[in-house]
């Protein structure tokens, strides 16, 4: 079988044997994967994302169960499954060891491989209406957005939410916000992308590149109150911008690291606004199942911008790095 590994901060295609299945493990033939911003951090070896040894990258994939170990009882041959980002966080609060094993990161292999073998709890069946390609977009981007917009949110129908940019997480946040009936203010650096979110039902759009006063525009739209929730996929010092856009007692879902993992934060404003800053770390399997159910009921289709073949993997990563995509980038095997 073929797989990509990270060697000296480069992706290299290699030929290797299909791994053997132990009693509690499952062999899956991967049909498609999708890329996340994190996959760039891992492959380029940035900070704590740098792999400790040769590593198969990419956390998110979908495929068919080919073989199961003797002790496996939740899956059978032929099942259509996706990977899970943090398989050991099955349910309940995020605590202790639950987030220790995450796929395609510094310490554990991912799914950019024709076949993968992982413990049974690494996979989850997905609804029939989704293709492998569509399902491959769900484990990180969709679940993170679902966690922020639905699980952690206390918004009611008609409350306002600010979505930043049109990458993978923000597009799913848009779809779940529509489902929940929120008033959506969506920003982007591109007028073409804003035209698309507008055609999909965004209530207000702002080009943050062309408008240096984009925060004032957010305040104008909300009659100077600010929004009830910001889904902050940028992080770092950008948290201050999110705070300025926030209504008193609003919530900032702290998700992104595009502006780094540290910042100088206006703590006075956090206090005066009684702001709630809520970190988001993808989500649990239990949340994932709730999300899949809701998506199935409403037949929500992931927004896929571009699909590459397995041999075009390097081009797919280049495209991700350029940041011109709208929604998700997939690789089909
Ligand atoms: N905490 C978690 O559990 C978790 C989970 C998933 C992702 N993340 C993080 O969340 C971030 C987004 O991930 P992703 O996979 O959705 O990324 P992505 O698909 O690569 O999206 C990047 C998009 O962000 C927008 N953007 C960049 N700078 C911006 C700015 N200053 N203001 C507004 N928008 C800006 C751009 O959209 P436009 O082209 O429209 O301007 C860009 O296309 C990353 O930092 C990722 O590591 C965290």
């Amino acid at each position: 079988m073929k797989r990509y590994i990270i060697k000296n901060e480069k992706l290299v295609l290699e030929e290797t044997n299909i791994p053997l299945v132990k009693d509690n493990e499952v062999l899956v033939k991967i049909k498609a994967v999708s890329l996340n911003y994190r996959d760039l951090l891992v492959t380029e070896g940035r900070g704590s994302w740098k792999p400790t040894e040769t590593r198969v990258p990419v956390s998110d994939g979908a495929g068919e169960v080919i073989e199961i170990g003797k002790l496996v009882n939740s899956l059978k041959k032929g099942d259509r499954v996706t990977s899970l980002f943090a398989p050991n966080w099955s349910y309940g609060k995020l605590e202790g060891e639950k987030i220790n094993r995450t796929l395609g990161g510094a310490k554990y292999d991912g799914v950019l491989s024709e076949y993968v073998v992982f413990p049974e709890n690494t996979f989850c069946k997905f609804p029939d209406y989704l293709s492998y390609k569509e399902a491959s977009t769900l484990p990180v981007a969709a679940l993170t957005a679902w966690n922020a917009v639905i699980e952690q949110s206390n918004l009611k129908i008609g409350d306002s939410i600010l979505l930043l940019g049109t990458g993978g997480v923000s597009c799913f946040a848009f779809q779940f916000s529509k489902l929940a009936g929120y008033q959506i203010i969506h920003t982007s650096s591109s007028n073409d992308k804003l035209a698309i979110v507008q055609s999909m039902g965004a209530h207000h759009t702002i080009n943050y590149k062309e408008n240096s006063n984009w925060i004032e525009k957010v305040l104008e739209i909300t009659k100077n109150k600010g929004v009830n929730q910001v889904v902050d996929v940028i992080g770092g010092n950008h948290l201050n911008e999110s705070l300025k856009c926030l209504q008193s007692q609003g919530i900032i879902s702290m998700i992104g690291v595009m502006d780094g993992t540290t910042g100088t934060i206006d703590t006075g404003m956090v206090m005066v606004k009684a702001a709630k800053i809520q970190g988001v770390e993808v989500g649990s399997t239990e949340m994932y199942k709730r999300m899949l159910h809701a998506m199935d009921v409403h037949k929500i289709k992931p927004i896929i911008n571009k699909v590459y073949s397995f041999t075009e993997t390097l081009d797919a990563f280049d495209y991700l790095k350029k940041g011109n995509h709208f929604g998700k980038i997939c690789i089909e095997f």
Side-chain angles (χ1 to χ4, degrees):
M1 69 161 199
K2 291 187 175 61
R3 67 178 187 182
Y4 283 90
I5 52 166
I6 306 166
K7 233 180 186 171
N8 303 324
E9 280 130 53
K10 294 234 154 26
L11 281 173
V12 181
L13 187 61
E14 73 165 19
E15 190 82 40
T16 185
N17 295 329
I18 296 177
L20 298 173
V21 176
K22 295 199 197 91
D23 289 353
N24 68 334
E25 290 181 336
V26 175
L27 172 69
V28 170
K29 184 174 182 358
I30 297 291
K31 307 271 191 172
V33 304
S34 78
L35 301 184
N36 291 291
Y37 188 81
R38 172 180 181 263
D39 300 319
L40 275 183
L41 302 173
V42 176
T43 49
E44 292 180 356
R46 286 200 240 159
S48 60
W49 286 277
K50 188 178 168 67
T52 45
E53 55 191 283
T54 305
R55 175 92 38 247
V56 178
V58 180
S59 55
D60 294 7
E64 183 188 341
V65 173
I66 299 294
E67 195 184 330
I68 58 170
K70 276 188 268 175
L71 301 177
V72 169
N73 52 34
S74 67
L75 295 171
K76 60 178 186 328
K77 266 190 193 179
D79 280 345
R80 299 160 82 238
V81 294
T82 72
S83 54
L84 290 164
F85 174 73
N88 294 347
W89 185 13
S90 313
Y91 59 89
K93 284 206 272 184
L94 175 58
E95 56 198 351
E97 313 272 285
K98 290 181 177 176
I99 204 73
N100 281 3
R101 184 166 77 90
T102 57
L103 262 58
K107 295 189 202 143
Y108 294 92
D109 279 341
V111 295
L112 194 49
S113 177
E114 287 180 320
Y115 293 87
V116 296
V117 166
F118 289 122
E120 166 179 23
N121 72 350
T122 312
F123 302 104
C124 182
K125 286 189 261 188
F126 62 87
D128 291 343
Y129 81 98
L130 291 167
S131 66
Y132 283 112
K133 185 175 61 188
E134 288 163 343
S136 79
T137 66
L138 304 177
V140 167
L143 182 54
T144 303
W146 172 266
N147 191 354
V149 170
I150 305 295
E151 301 272 342
Q152 295 185 343
S153 178
N154 58 5
L155 266 56
K156 299 185 180 57
I157 295 179
D159 282 351
S160 52
I161 191 161
L162 175 62
L163 306 177
L164 305 172
T166 54
V169 174
S170 295
C171 279
F172 277 114
F174 173 88
Q175 291 177 292
F176 296 138
S177 297
K178 281 300 282 179
L179 197 60
Y182 305 156
Q183 180 193 33
I184 300 170
I185 304 174
H186 209 130
T187 73
S188 174
S189 57
S190 149
N191 289 331
D192 289 345
K193 292 180 183 180
L194 288 176
I196 304 174
V197 284
Q198 199 150 29
S199 72
M200 286 163 32
H203 301 92
H204 302 275
T205 56
I206 306 170
N207 187 316
Y208 66 83
K209 261 227 166 104
E210 285 178 359
N211 292 290
S212 53
N213 62 343
W214 68 271
I215 294 173
E216 279 162 41
K217 292 207 170 293
V218 173
L219 296 176
E220 226 170 79
I221 292 164
T222 56
K223 302 192 171 50
N224 274 328
K225 277 170 42 187
V227 293
N228 297 94
Q229 184 170 0
V230 182
V231 178
D232 192 333
V233 292
I234 315 298
N237 286 319
H238 193 278
L239 187 58
N240 292 310
E241 319 283 285
S242 296
L243 273 169
K244 286 180 197 158
C245 296
L246 196 69
Q247 189 172 124
S248 290
Q249 303 202 57
I251 175 170
I252 296 177
S253 303
M254 189 61 261
I255 291 174
V257 298
M258 286 194 278
D259 193 27
T261 50
T262 58
T264 306
I265 306 307
D266 185 343
T267 52
M269 205 180 336
V270 175
M271 189 178 65
V272 166
K273 288 200 170 186
K276 183 173 177 187
I277 299 172
Q278 175 69 63
V280 180
E281 181 64 17
V282 190
S284 65
T285 308
E286 178 179 54
M287 291 179 200
Y288 193 67
K289 288 181 178 167
R290 283 198 285 265
M291 176 191 81
L292 292 179
H293 173 68
M295 289 184 73
D296 193 16
V297 168
H298 293 279
K299 299 289 178 276
I300 294 177
K301 288 274 196 174
I303 299 167
I304 296 174
N305 178 223
K306 223 167 177 177
V307 183
Y308 290 85
S309 68
F310 189 60
T311 51
E312 295 170 330
T313 290
L314 299 187
D315 297 332
F317 273 81
D318 281 346
Y319 187 60
L320 174 67
K321 194 167 180 176
K322 285 196 185 104
N324 290 333
H325 56 286
F326 179 94
K328 296 297 294 177
I329 301 165
C330 292
I331 299 172
E332 252 180 337
F333 287 29

